[in-house]
Structures are given as C-alpha cells and as structure tokens.
Amino acid sequence: MARLDRVLEQLGNAGGEAGAAALTGRGWIEWCRGKGSFADALFSRAIEEHPGYRLAELLGELVRRGTLCGWAGRREAAWQRFEPDVA
C-alpha cells in the first residue's frame, strides 16, 4: 500500500487533470480508511488542480456531509494494517 501511496503522491504533483485524478484516488483511499479530514483535504487539492473535476467534487460533498465509508464502520470489514511482508 505504501508503494501505491507514493505513486499517487508523485502523480498528484503532476498537476492538471491527471494530478486531480491521483489526488482524488488518494482521497478515496483515506476515506476508506476512515480518515475523512485527510480525504477532504485531498479532494479540495484536486479541485484546485483542476477546477470542476467532478469526481473530487462529488466525493468531497459526501465527506462533508459526514458520510462514512460503508466498510470503515464495520470492524470485520474496516481497513486493517498488515505486516510489511503480507501481500
């Protein structure tokens, strides 16, 4: 997962629509992890990079309304930390 985070971070620095897509992807991952504040910050950055980027707008609205990711609220399905050598 750390590798994916690094790749998305690098792509997010590219700017434009590709950067907005990467930032939105990172935001979605943070939302799935139950970190709504981090997610909202990334969605906001995506919209700054590419104004009108619809997916970031929609997901940002979801987060600002206080919607929790379905599996983040269930202990058996919530994001788990795994040992580095797993997967």
Side-chain angles (χ1 to χ4, degrees):
M1 198 65 206
R3 290 181 190 165
L4 176 60
D5 286 338
R6 282 194 300 272
V7 168
L8 289 174
E9 184 176 352
Q10 290 173 347
L11 289 173
N13 292 332
E17 189 170 4
L23 289 165
T24 301
R26 286 180 62 205
W28 181 79
I29 290 169
E30 293 302 325
W31 180 65
C32 291
R33 289 176 171 168
K35 298 179 179 179
S37 297
F38 289 106
D40 189 48
L42 289 164
F43 298 143
S44 295
R45 281 185 53 204
I47 294 166
E48 287 174 13
E49 286 293 324
H50 189 74
Y53 192 71
R54 192 69 178 134
L55 184 57
E57 291 174 344
L58 292 170
L59 290 172
E61 179 65 25
L62 202 68
V63 169
R64 284 187 293 278
R65 288 181 182 212
T67 306
L68 295 176
C69 177
W71 61 76
R74 295 189 356 246
R75 184 175 196 82
E76 70 278 1
W79 199 281
Q80 303 289 320
R81 288 184 181 223
F82 296 104
E83 297 300 318
D85 58 344
V86 174

